[in-house]
Amino acid sequence: MTDASLPRPVTIITGASRGIGAAIAERLAADGHDLVITYRDRAADADAVARRCTDSGARVLVLQVDLADLDAAATVVPSAVDAFGRVTGLVNNAGITGRIGPFLDVPLEEAEAVFRINVLSPLIITRAAIEHMATDRGGVGGSIVNISSGAAKSGAPNTYIPYAMSKAALNALTTGASKEFGPVGVRVNTVSPGTTRTEIHAAAGRPDAPDERAPGIPMRRPGEPHEIAGAVAYLLSDDASYTSGADIRVAGGN
Ligand code: NDP
């Protein structure tokens, strides 16, 4: 929750039209954030998320941005600042896995798209956010959360190694940026979900992956998006005021 006597936090969430990003948006709206939510294709879904957030009292800006287009990624923070005058939070959530399959068969173009969307766009958006937030540049500080994956550490053999590589890169962004920008009021953390019930698995070619993987999860079930959102809300809240460079695994015991 946020302190009602302070101005409302303004938080950008990429990829918030569905899945984990949508759950994060709805949770943050309930916690008192105003929001900038982005999507790629699914405008009706993004509008529905925005309506639910508005019903919780949030002001919401919805942006269509293909994060494979790095010039488009560069417009996200300026659009947010234009709309709200300030940005205090960023959740780098949008991500793709590529198709599940053997490493030797991954087309290079697919690996490149994974790196554009999962690494280079977050790099661009994070730099713009830090330039706005950093206290040595006139900002008031802020909090950034990168949505990584347990794959960063498992390497996802026989499944999607380029995706695992991209998430390991995102983890390095958290580690490096938390140290470089801790002195200027910017906290940077990671949330690493385990298998969570969203449409990302259908896009990877394995719609039933959450239930198929359940026997290998200590809690014997996949996560639900709202269970990931709680960790993100914590990291963006004042309860996490001394938490930076952390990686919270939300993975049912894995
Ligand atoms: P979904 O596939 O359910 O949703 C993806 C979201 O990202 C959508 O809002 C989608 O927009 C958007 N998006 C996808 N590609 C682009 C793009 N090129 N440009 C802009 N936006 C894009 O994903 P999840 O909710 O499952 O995943 C969210 C994050 O969590 C990802 O970073 C993922 O790697 C991570 N994660 C997920 C796990 C899981 O099991 N679900 C496990 C571990 C990590 P649109 O609706 O318009 O297509």
Side-chain angles (χ1 to χ4, degrees), residues 86-139:
R86 57 203 280 275
V87 171
T88 58
L90 165 65
V91 184
N92 284 310
N93 166 77
I96 63 165
T97 62
R99 299 283 291 183
I100 289 176
F103 180 55
L104 300 184
D105 293 347
V106 180
L108 193 56
E109 308 74 55
E110 183 180 283
E112 186 183 354
V114 166
F115 269 74
R116 279 178 173 264
I117 294 161
N118 297 9
V119 180
L120 293 177
S121 269
L123 179 155
I124 288 166
I125 297 170
T126 298
R127 285 207 303 210
I130 290 171
E131 283 177 345
H132 174 76
M133 294 170 173
T135 54
D136 64 345
R137 292 169 176 263

XYZ file of all heavy atoms in Angstrom, residues 86-139:
403
model
N 5.552 12.770 -14.281
C 6.579 12.066 -13.519
C 6.379 10.569 -13.649
O 5.282 10.095 -13.937
C 6.506 12.456 -12.046
C 5.146 12.194 -11.428
C 4.937 13.072 -10.215
N 5.615 12.514 -9.066
C 5.102 11.586 -8.272
N 3.907 11.093 -8.502
N 5.765 11.140 -7.243
N 7.469 9.849 -13.424
C 7.433 8.386 -13.385
C 8.230 7.955 -12.169
O 9.369 8.387 -11.985
C 8.061 7.766 -14.664
C 8.222 6.257 -14.507
C 7.210 8.079 -15.886
N 7.626 7.123 -11.326
C 8.332 6.672 -10.119
C 8.633 5.179 -10.133
O 9.425 4.706 -9.319
C 7.508 6.996 -8.854
O 6.226 6.350 -8.960
C 7.311 8.487 -8.698
N 7.985 4.432 -11.045
C 8.206 2.988 -11.084
C 8.213 2.460 -12.502
O 7.597 3.044 -13.406
N 8.917 1.368 -12.699
C 8.962 0.697 -14.005
C 8.993 -0.805 -13.762
O 9.803 -1.282 -12.948
C 10.228 1.112 -14.775
C 10.600 0.249 -15.995
C 9.537 0.353 -17.092
C 11.972 0.667 -16.546
N 8.142 -1.530 -14.471
C 8.185 -2.990 -14.440
C 8.465 -3.472 -15.856
O 7.616 -3.339 -16.755
C 6.864 -3.597 -13.925
C 6.995 -5.113 -13.810
C 6.462 -2.985 -12.580
N 9.675 -3.982 -16.061
C 10.030 -4.568 -17.364
C 9.484 -5.992 -17.383
O 10.134 -6.939 -16.937
C 11.553 -4.573 -17.540
C 12.104 -3.208 -17.861
O 11.608 -2.525 -18.760
N 13.135 -2.795 -17.137
N 8.250 -6.106 -17.895
C 7.541 -7.397 -17.821
C 7.417 -8.093 -19.169
O 7.516 -9.317 -19.231
C 6.136 -7.165 -17.236
C 5.249 -8.371 -17.438
O 5.363 -9.370 -16.735
N 4.375 -8.318 -18.440
N 7.173 -7.333 -20.242
C 6.916 -7.976 -21.547
C 8.067 -8.908 -21.907
O 9.235 -8.570 -21.716
C 6.730 -6.917 -22.630
N 7.720 -10.062 -22.412
C 8.770 -10.994 -22.819
C 8.197 -12.081 -23.710
O 6.996 -12.359 -23.674
N 9.065 -12.659 -24.521
C 8.693 -13.823 -25.334
C 9.736 -14.907 -25.095
O 10.880 -14.619 -24.731
C 8.598 -13.495 -26.842
C 9.962 -13.046 -27.408
C 7.537 -12.414 -27.091
C 10.020 -13.058 -28.923
N 9.327 -16.153 -25.356
C 10.264 -17.268 -25.145
C 10.894 -17.770 -26.444
O 11.949 -18.396 -26.404
C 9.544 -18.475 -24.512
O 8.531 -18.903 -25.416
C 8.938 -18.122 -23.162
N 10.217 -17.530 -27.575
C 10.552 -18.286 -28.785
C 9.921 -19.678 -28.675
O 9.381 -20.041 -27.616
N 9.985 -20.429 -29.777
C 9.359 -21.759 -29.797
C 10.179 -22.745 -28.977
O 11.413 -22.718 -29.008
C 9.284 -22.282 -31.237
C 8.468 -21.422 -32.165
C 7.012 -21.596 -31.973
N 6.516 -22.913 -32.393
C 5.237 -23.259 -32.361
N 4.327 -22.408 -31.914
N 4.868 -24.452 -32.768
N 9.513 -23.610 -28.264
C 10.208 -24.672 -27.535
C 10.850 -25.623 -28.533
O 10.213 -26.027 -29.522
C 9.221 -25.423 -26.622
C 8.832 -24.508 -25.445
C 9.830 -26.736 -26.112
C 7.802 -25.092 -24.517
N 12.112 -25.973 -28.291
C 12.772 -26.917 -29.186
C 14.253 -27.016 -28.902
O 14.786 -26.308 -28.033
N 14.945 -27.886 -29.640
C 16.382 -28.063 -29.428
C 17.160 -26.799 -29.791
O 16.836 -26.111 -30.763
C 16.763 -29.199 -30.379
C 15.478 -29.786 -30.853
C 14.416 -28.750 -30.699
N 18.216 -26.537 -29.027
C 19.034 -25.328 -29.215
C 19.561 -25.228 -30.647
O 19.581 -24.151 -31.242
C 20.190 -25.384 -28.216
C 21.126 -24.207 -28.272
C 20.655 -22.907 -28.149
C 22.498 -24.405 -28.405
C 21.525 -21.824 -28.173
C 23.367 -23.321 -28.438
C 22.875 -22.038 -28.323
N 19.992 -26.359 -31.216
C 20.631 -26.303 -32.532
C 19.651 -25.925 -33.631
O 20.062 -25.572 -34.735
C 21.307 -27.646 -32.844
C 22.399 -28.071 -31.853
C 23.072 -29.357 -32.316
C 23.453 -26.968 -31.680
N 18.356 -26.007 -33.346
C 17.345 -25.701 -34.366
C 16.810 -24.276 -34.284
O 15.976 -23.881 -35.100
C 16.149 -26.661 -34.225
C 16.519 -28.096 -34.554
O 17.610 -28.306 -35.120
O 15.724 -28.999 -34.227
N 17.229 -23.487 -33.295
C 16.632 -22.153 -33.125
C 17.081 -21.235 -34.255
O 18.289 -21.004 -34.431
C 17.043 -21.521 -31.772
C 16.416 -20.135 -31.625
C 16.654 -22.415 -30.609
N 16.136 -20.691 -35.040
C 16.541 -19.730 -36.081
C 17.169 -18.486 -35.440
O 16.675 -18.000 -34.421
C 15.222 -19.364 -36.767
C 14.225 -20.384 -36.323
C 14.687 -20.897 -34.995
N 18.240 -17.982 -36.060
C 18.908 -16.817 -35.481
C 17.961 -15.623 -35.382
O 18.021 -14.843 -34.424
C 20.137 -16.451 -36.321
C 21.081 -15.457 -35.655
C 21.563 -15.944 -34.286
C 22.265 -15.163 -36.560
N 17.048 -15.501 -36.366
C 16.112 -14.360 -36.326
C 15.232 -14.444 -35.079
O 14.865 -13.423 -34.495
C 15.191 -14.335 -37.564
C 15.880 -14.403 -38.903
C 16.419 -15.793 -39.218
O 15.637 -16.773 -39.191
O 17.641 -15.898 -39.470
N 14.876 -15.669 -34.690
C 14.038 -15.810 -33.496
C 14.833 -15.428 -32.245
O 14.337 -14.717 -31.370
C 13.516 -17.239 -33.374
C 12.577 -17.409 -32.192
C 12.068 -18.843 -32.078
O 11.173 -19.212 -32.849
O 12.595 -19.578 -31.224
N 16.078 -15.880 -32.164
C 16.912 -15.521 -31.007
C 17.110 -14.003 -30.956
O 17.107 -13.399 -29.874
C 18.253 -16.234 -31.084
N 17.249 -13.388 -32.134
C 17.426 -11.929 -32.169
C 16.179 -11.230 -31.642
O 16.271 -10.261 -30.874
C 17.737 -11.463 -33.588
C 18.059 -9.988 -33.619
C 18.309 -9.457 -35.025
O 18.351 -10.240 -35.984
O 18.442 -8.233 -35.137
N 14.996 -11.723 -32.022
C 13.746 -11.116 -31.531
C 13.646 -11.279 -30.018
O 13.249 -10.346 -29.308
C 12.537 -11.761 -32.216
N 14.020 -12.435 -29.508
C 14.001 -12.659 -28.058
C 14.893 -11.623 -27.368
O 14.504 -11.022 -26.359
C 14.456 -14.098 -27.721
C 14.764 -14.246 -26.240
C 13.394 -15.104 -28.160
N 16.065 -11.383 -27.939
C 16.983 -10.423 -27.300
C 16.509 -8.974 -27.453
O 16.701 -8.163 -26.538
C 18.411 -10.600 -27.834
C 19.180 -11.579 -26.989
C 18.926 -12.943 -27.065
C 20.110 -11.137 -26.063
C 19.595 -13.848 -26.244
C 20.788 -12.035 -25.245
C 20.526 -13.391 -25.328
N 15.874 -8.655 -28.557
C 15.343 -7.281 -28.693
C 14.272 -7.016 -27.640
O 14.284 -6.001 -26.950
C 14.715 -7.100 -30.079
C 15.714 -6.811 -31.155
C 15.007 -6.702 -32.498
N 15.967 -6.259 -33.463
C 16.136 -4.986 -33.822
N 15.341 -4.060 -33.360
N 17.063 -4.652 -34.686
N 13.333 -7.962 -27.543
C 12.173 -7.743 -26.669
C 12.543 -7.928 -25.198
O 12.095 -7.168 -24.336
C 11.027 -8.700 -27.096
C 10.548 -8.319 -28.500
C 9.893 -8.693 -26.077
C 9.785 -9.401 -29.228
N 13.364 -8.921 -24.890
C 13.639 -9.264 -23.479
C 14.844 -8.530 -22.903
O 14.982 -8.462 -21.678
C 13.904 -10.770 -23.334
C 12.701 -11.625 -23.700
O 11.715 -11.133 -24.222
N 12.798 -12.911 -23.445
N 15.732 -8.017 -23.760
C 16.970 -7.403 -23.243
C 17.134 -5.958 -23.727
O 17.293 -5.038 -22.912
C 18.214 -8.228 -23.649
C 19.488 -7.579 -23.099
C 18.092 -9.661 -23.155
N 17.126 -5.735 -25.044
C 17.467 -4.396 -25.543
C 16.383 -3.374 -25.241
O 16.689 -2.233 -24.872
C 17.775 -4.461 -27.040
C 19.050 -5.246 -27.377
C 19.240 -5.320 -28.894
C 20.277 -4.611 -26.730
N 15.111 -3.771 -25.370
C 14.050 -2.825 -25.004
C 14.084 -2.495 -23.518
O 14.015 -1.305 -23.153
C 12.673 -3.351 -25.414
O 12.373 -2.898 -26.700
N 14.197 -3.493 -22.637
C 14.361 -3.139 -21.217
C 15.574 -2.245 -20.964
O 15.514 -1.329 -20.134
C 14.522 -4.499 -20.529
C 13.754 -5.436 -21.404
C 13.982 -4.947 -22.809
N 16.674 -2.470 -21.677
C 17.854 -1.605 -21.514
C 17.498 -0.151 -21.852
O 17.804 0.784 -21.100
C 18.972 -2.121 -22.418
C 20.323 -1.381 -22.458
C 21.428 -2.338 -22.888
C 20.296 -0.196 -23.426
N 16.815 0.023 -22.998
C 16.466 1.380 -23.448
C 15.490 2.041 -22.485
O 15.661 3.205 -22.090
C 15.880 1.304 -24.880
C 16.992 0.976 -25.875
C 15.134 2.586 -25.247
C 16.488 0.555 -27.245
N 14.463 1.299 -22.098
C 13.421 1.876 -21.228
C 13.996 2.141 -19.839
O 13.706 3.170 -19.217
C 12.191 0.942 -21.184
C 11.577 0.832 -22.584
C 11.159 1.463 -20.188
C 10.518 -0.246 -22.720
N 14.834 1.233 -19.369
C 15.430 1.411 -18.036
C 16.353 2.629 -18.024
O 16.347 3.420 -17.067
C 16.201 0.136 -17.635
O 15.263 -0.942 -17.571
C 16.896 0.290 -16.291
N 17.141 2.804 -19.068
C 18.027 3.986 -19.093
C 17.223 5.273 -19.057
O 17.547 6.211 -18.320
C 18.936 3.948 -20.323
C 20.044 2.937 -20.175
C 21.256 3.281 -20.972
N 20.995 3.451 -22.396
C 21.874 3.186 -23.334
N 23.087 2.739 -23.009
N 21.592 3.379 -24.590
N 16.139 5.310 -19.865
C 15.310 6.522 -19.887
C 14.656 6.748 -18.527
O 14.561 7.891 -18.057
C 14.243 6.398 -20.981
N 14.223 5.663 -17.891
C 13.585 5.810 -16.571
C 14.596 6.323 -15.553
O 14.293 7.225 -14.756
C 12.997 4.477 -16.127
N 15.803 5.772 -15.576
C 16.815 6.202 -14.599
C 17.201 7.663 -14.834
O 17.362 8.439 -13.880
C 18.045 5.271 -14.651
C 17.681 3.885 -14.086
C 19.209 5.875 -13.865
C 18.761 2.828 -14.281
N 17.312 8.056 -16.100
C 17.642 9.470 -16.374
C 16.583 10.397 -15.773
O 16.886 11.491 -15.315
C 17.766 9.705 -17.883
C 19.080 9.183 -18.432
C 19.206 9.347 -19.941
O 18.166 9.600 -20.601
O 20.328 9.201 -20.444
N 15.335 9.928 -15.775
C 14.246 10.733 -15.207
C 14.222 10.675 -13.684
O 13.907 11.663 -13.023
C 12.915 10.213 -15.779
C 11.709 10.843 -15.176
N 11.291 12.120 -15.491
C 10.850 10.390 -14.235
C 10.205 12.413 -14.776
N 9.927 11.377 -14.007
N 14.566 9.495 -13.118
C 14.408 9.279 -11.668
C 15.602 9.745 -10.842
O 15.444 10.113 -9.670
C 14.224 7.778 -11.385
C 12.962 7.159 -11.928
S 13.084 5.339 -11.753
C 11.438 4.845 -12.256
N 16.808 9.668 -11.410
C 18.034 9.820 -10.605
C 18.085 11.175 -9.908
O 17.848 12.221 -10.528
C 19.259 9.639 -11.497
N 18.418 11.158 -8.629
C 18.417 12.405 -7.850
C 19.534 13.350 -8.283
O 19.429 14.560 -8.096
C 18.547 12.109 -6.336
O 19.703 11.285 -6.141
C 17.317 11.396 -5.802
N 20.594 12.827 -8.911
C 21.649 13.736 -9.381
C 21.305 14.358 -10.731
O 22.079 15.149 -11.271
C 23.010 13.016 -9.442
C 23.024 11.880 -10.459
O 21.932 11.447 -10.907
O 24.133 11.417 -10.817
N 20.111 14.021 -11.261
C 19.639 14.642 -12.509
C 18.327 15.390 -12.278
O 17.570 15.623 -13.219
C 19.421 13.571 -13.581
C 20.720 12.930 -14.044
C 20.440 11.708 -14.901
N 21.676 11.152 -15.413
C 22.163 11.405 -16.633
N 21.513 12.202 -17.461
N 23.304 10.870 -17.011
N 18.028 15.668 -11.015
C 16.819 16.428 -10.698
C 15.609 15.568 -10.416
O 14.512 16.090 -10.183
N 15.772 14.241 -10.440
C 14.649 13.358 -10.165
C 14.441 13.134 -8.673
O 15.184 13.652 -7.840
